[in-house]
Amino acid sequence: MRSSLTMVGTLWAFLSLVTAVTSSTSYFLPYWLFGSQLGKPVSFSTFRRCNYPVRGEGHSLIMVEECGRYASFNAIPSLAWQMCTVVTGAGCALLLLVALAAVLGCCMEELISRMMGRCMGAAQFVGGLLISSGCALYPLGWNSPEIMQTCGNVSNQFQLGTCRLGWAYYCAGGGAAAAMLICTWLSCFAGRNPKPVILVESIMKNTNSYAMELDHCLKP
């Protein structure tokens, strides 16, 4: 089985898959922000949360210890986090599409040319940029009441209060940076240049096909 990628291209495909999976997994895991509420640990992502308060008997608050996403898009605590959810999700989807095409290029001949590889690298740069923008928007939502209750009521935009950033936030940002810097650069050398012999054979084949069709049409 011949590949349409060079040796550098094979490395690019592997790193593309790693960065896409890392960023996408981090996007879905609710471990971007850690805090505490009512003596219980609480964690958030952009659209998911682990452990949340509900009113029990006698109108007292109790903590439900489970993870889940917000009931609706509008239930996400702040506009900044809503924007972060959309932007980061779009970036992850773009990285996953490029990674899938890159992996297929390892198994299929003539799928990815030198120019196609560079175009895919440009798409990776855009995907990484979108995820990075989402990470930059995330601190703008730390002043919402829900987050302030978890962070000692002293958090604000770009001020964590008693909370701390989680490992998933760093993994999402690190995957985006690797996609923008490393994968984009490697993509410039990923695809093989088309061989002149293959080009000539393709042109001759098309020419013969057109000639046969024309001859068929001209016959009485």
Side-chain angles (χ1 to χ4, degrees):
M1 184 187 306
R2 295 192 61 184
S3 170
S4 60
L5 299 177
T6 61
M7 291 297 294
V8 174
T10 304
L11 176 62
W12 165 70
F14 173 74
L15 290 178
S16 297
L17 183 62
V18 170
T19 56
V21 170
T22 299
S23 296
S24 300
T25 302
S26 301
Y27 171 65
F28 282 101
L29 291 178
Y31 304 122
W32 284 40
L33 185 68
F34 289 101
S36 63
Q37 190 173 359
L38 300 179
K40 299 291 184 180
V42 177
S43 60
F44 297 90
S45 65
T46 60
F47 63 98
R48 300 188 69 201
R49 170 175 178 158
C50 284
N51 304 342
Y52 53 91
V54 295
R55 291 201 175 275
E57 297 180 357
H59 300 287
S60 60
L61 288 176
I62 59 174
M63 292 296 290
V64 177
E65 300 186 42
E66 64 180 19
C67 297
R69 63 179 179 82
Y70 288 100
S72 66
F73 184 76
N74 291 330
I76 296 175
S78 68
L79 176 62
W81 281 21
Q82 293 174 355
M83 294 172 60
C84 181
T85 300
V86 174
V87 170
T88 306
C92 290
L94 194 54
L95 290 188
L96 284 172
L97 285 174
V98 174
L100 176 61
V103 171
L104 289 176
C106 294
C107 309
M108 300 175 64
E109 189 177 1
E110 300 180 33
L111 178 64
I112 300 176
S113 64
R114 183 64 59 89
M115 183 58 67
M116 177 62 71
R118 291 173 179 174
C119 292
M120 293 170 68
Q124 284 181 309
F125 185 85
V126 173
L129 186 62
L130 288 172
I131 298 173
S132 300
S133 300
C135 291
L137 287 169
Y138 192 66
L140 295 176
W142 294 347
N143 62 344
S144 66
E146 183 174 338
I147 307 304
M148 292 181 68
Q149 291 171 6
T150 307
C151 299
N153 290 313
V154 291
S155 66
N156 204 338
Q157 292 181 348
F158 297 98
Q159 295 179 10
L160 278 172
T162 59
C163 292
R164 60 184 176 86
L165 286 174
W167 57 267
Y169 178 84
Y170 293 111
C171 286
M180 291 175 63
L181 301 176
I182 301 176
C183 292
T184 300
W185 177 68
L186 291 177
S187 68
C188 298
F189 315 100
R192 297 182 185 274
N193 284 323
K195 296 180 180 179
V197 175
I198 295 177
L199 288 176
V200 171
E201 289 178 352
S202 178
I203 293 171
M204 292 299 296
K205 183 178 179 180
N206 291 333
T207 302
N208 292 335
S209 177
Y210 295 146
M212 291 176 63
E213 291 179 4
L214 181 61
D215 182 63
H216 178 74
C217 293
L218 293 177
K219 285 183 179 180

